[in-house]
Amino acid sequence: YQRRVHGGKPLISKVPLPDATSSDIPSGWAGLLRIPRVIILGLVMGMAMQGTGINAVMFYAPKFMTMGGITHRMFGSILVMLWNFLMAVLALVVLNKVNRRILLLTGLGLMALVLLLLDPVYGLIHNGTIGNSWCIVLLFLFVTGFEFGPGTLFAVVVNEIIPEPVLALASPLIGTSMGMMGILVAFVFPAMERDLGSNVFFIFGSIAVVVWVYIFLCLPEARGKSRQEVTKRVTEGNWIVIKDSLK
């Protein structure tokens, strides 16, 4: 508060105090130790990006397209890439019109559902219970979920939740961790696919469910908020932010 005198009468006016949250966080490695919640959220976002099987599904994409009746591999690949591009553009259009949490949870939820359904549907197609076109439907649904979820929002969310003093260090650190996760999946997937067949998608689906739950519980909404507000939200108070889904 600040006391001022006007016309001989003292007036008390409230002067807003600067938010000291960001300035309290040092730069460098010392700052990273002050924000464990942010680092964990960043790593979980990396898991959403690479640990949920996007590369595995794309590896299977030609097989899905062939089963669906599209036997020309080049044409099938073009269709998948075109759909991927269209969904990415559409996701960018709605990015600033829908809350980050809603968009991310919807995309991840769709990915998890598809991953858990892939093996049963694969079996039903082989049994002749359902049509082959369901392979293509699930593939396109997964790509849609990815682009509306982590595919578009990974960089956005990570940039918004990292406090500015450690942004230059934490952002590439999380990005590198995500890349290493992608390399790990690329190395282990062929062996997993050889031993488990299409059952391997249950593993990716389970990872997607765990990631969805953690993001639902712990990722605060950043849309429409200043960096100082987001920094305060992710460095103070309770880690559980379910109420953000109700806003």
Side-chain angles (χ1 to χ4, degrees), residues 166-187:
V166 294
L167 181 61
L169 177 61
S171 183
L173 180 66
I174 292 172
T176 301
S177 300
M178 181 200 68
M180 293 175 64
M181 197 175 307
I183 294 173
L184 177 63
V185 171
F187 269 105

Side-chain angles (χ1 to χ4, degrees), residues 33 42 89 92 99 102 108 110 120 123 156 178 180-181 193 238:
L33 297 176
V89 171
L92 289 173
N99 285 353
I102 294 176
L108 267 174
L110 183 58
V156 175
M178 181 200 68
M180 293 175 64
M181 197 175 307
E193 192 270 337
N238 200 325

Side-chain angles (χ1 to χ4, degrees), residues 107-136:
L108 267 174
L110 183 58
M111 290 170 64
L113 179 63
V114 170
L115 288 167
L116 295 175
L117 287 176
L118 272 174
D119 183 62
V121 168
Y122 197 71
L124 290 173
I125 290 175
H126 275 289
N127 294 335
T129 306
I130 60 176
N132 292 355
S133 59
W134 276 102
C135 274
I136 298 178

Side-chain angles (χ1 to χ4, degrees), residues 120-161:
V121 168
Y122 197 71
L124 290 173
I125 290 175
H126 275 289
N127 294 335
T129 306
I130 60 176
N132 292 355
S133 59
W134 276 102
C135 274
I136 298 178
V137 172
L138 290 179
L139 174 61
F140 279 33
L141 284 176
F142 182 85
V143 172
T144 301
F146 179 79
E147 290 302 339
F148 274 85
T152 299
L153 287 170
F154 170 78
V156 175
V157 170
V158 168
N159 179 71
E160 289 177 337
I161 64 175

Side-chain angles (χ1 to χ4, degrees), residues 38-51:
V38 174
I39 299 302
I40 293 174
L41 277 170
L43 294 176
V44 169
M45 285 297 298
M47 182 68 74
M49 185 76 171
Q50 292 292 345

Side-chain angles (χ1 to χ4, degrees), residues 88-104:
V89 171
L90 186 57
L92 289 173
V93 170
V94 303
L95 180 61
N96 289 318
K97 299 179 181 179
V98 181
N99 285 353
R100 308 281 194 259
R101 280 173 57 87
I102 294 176
L103 203 58
L104 183 57

